[in-house]
Amino acid sequence: MQGDIVSTVLLPIALAFIMFSLGLGLTPADFGRIVQQPRALLVGVLCHFVLLPLACFGMLQVAGIGGAFAVGFMILAACPTGTTSNLLTYIARGDVALALSFTAVASVLTIFTLPLIVSFALEYFAGSGQKVEAPVGAMMKQMVLMLGLPVAIGMSLRHLKPALGQRIEGSCTKIASVLFILIVIAAVAKNWVLLRDNFHTLAPFAMALNVTMLACGFGVAWLARLSRQQSVTLGIETAIQNGTLAMVIGSSVLKQDAFALPGALYGVLMYVSGLAFAYSMRAALNRVRGGEPAIVPGAGSPP
């Protein structure tokens, strides 16, 4: 892995800005909803932090994928939900308040869970039976700096200067979306040969993992007798991952390009199945409601 400016400086800064933009949209009330709907959040934590890594590990074993790419997918599975999950939840007419609460909780929990899962993945998939010690302390420190601190700054600005926070939130979200696209393009361009040679293996696995977790999150929530809106939300929250963070961990923290490729690929492909899931759920709800017109963002409150 080359210690270039993109991996060591630009990627972490871009991720920090993305998390800052997320913080602008969060309030203490979003965390307070944990008390109001603990069962939904507990089911979400089970799906995202337990079933997702286990499913990813099991599917890697079945698919026969090992080495650096397996580590990369486990890094991805250990990451928190992606910030765009909130938008997909809105499109699907899910529980937006639950989505915001879970996004906030997941960003905090990841600081502690990600280093443990990545350490296991490095030791298991290192190859040659060689035990690899992951920099757990360094990863936790970077998680705080790249996730916790930017979110806290965004929330603080929203609280101390609410008018300013609300005014810049939309622009920051758009900038964050552009940064994500640029990060993915840079990662793909930098590792084009490696990606091209392994696309036939990685792409089907990434899509299978995403679809599996969409179904798993929705199904487990449904079995737990949560509402349709909550079930749809947890399906999205379980399957939409923070691909940017996965790339930062792989290329900047662990300094291995191959570790970052699964995150880059999944970060693009997850929107194919994610959008299909969101619009199908929305269409199903419209049929139930007798063809009620869709709500356009900005035209009213989300359902």
Side-chain angles (χ1 to χ4, degrees), residues 44-280:
V45 169
L46 170 67
C47 292
H48 194 90
F49 289 95
V50 179
L51 298 185
L52 173 55
L54 288 177
C56 183
F57 178 78
M59 290 174 67
L60 287 169
Q61 299 290 85
V62 172
I65 298 176
F69 291 142
V71 174
F73 275 114
M74 288 302 295
I75 291 173
L76 177 76
C79 286
T81 182
T83 56
T84 48
S85 63
N86 300 324
L87 174 60
L88 288 176
T89 298
Y90 184 97
I91 292 173
R93 295 193 172 188
D95 188 334
V96 178
L98 174 61
L100 287 169
S101 301
F102 187 81
T103 299
V105 171
S107 296
V108 174
L109 288 180
T110 299
I111 295 173
F112 306 99
T113 60
L114 188 144
L116 299 177
I117 295 174
V118 174
S119 296
F120 166 78
L122 283 170
E123 292 182 12
Y124 190 90
F125 294 110
S128 307
Q130 179 185 5
K131 184 176 180 179
V132 178
E133 294 293 339
V136 177
M139 277 194 285
M140 292 189 72
K141 180 179 179 181
Q142 293 205 31
M143 290 299 94
V144 172
L145 293 176
M146 293 186 298
L147 296 182
L149 185 59
V151 169
I153 293 174
M155 290 183 65
S156 298
L157 178 60
R158 172 74 175 261
H159 176 70
L160 297 174
K161 300 284 186 180
L164 175 62
Q166 292 179 19
R167 187 166 66 248
I168 67 174
E169 180 185 353
S171 298
C172 287
T173 300
K174 292 177 182 178
I175 294 173
S177 300
V178 173
L179 285 175
F180 169 75
I181 295 172
L182 293 177
I183 287 171
V184 172
I185 292 175
V188 171
K190 183 179 178 182
N191 303 283
W192 173 249
V193 175
L194 192 61
L195 179 62
R196 182 195 62 197
D197 294 344
N198 295 277
F199 185 84
H200 66 287
T201 301
L202 299 183
F205 183 87
M207 284 296 293
L209 177 63
N210 184 250
V211 172
T212 297
M213 296 321 299
L214 280 168
C216 181
F218 180 86
V220 171
W222 188 263
L223 290 174
R225 303 195 176 204
L226 297 179
S227 69
R228 176 212 163 271
Q229 282 187 310
Q230 291 175 327
S231 298
V232 168
T233 300
L234 293 184
I236 293 171
E237 294 295 326
T238 303
I240 301 302
Q241 293 297 92
N242 192 326
T244 309
L245 177 60
M247 286 185 280
V248 171
I249 295 298
S251 62
S252 301
V253 179
L254 300 177
K255 306 188 184 305
Q256 174 68 263
D257 273 339
F259 291 168
L261 278 183
L265 188 61
Y266 190 95
V268 174
L269 295 178
M270 67 182 180
Y271 292 115
V272 177
S273 47
L275 282 168
F277 177 81
Y279 278 110
S280 64

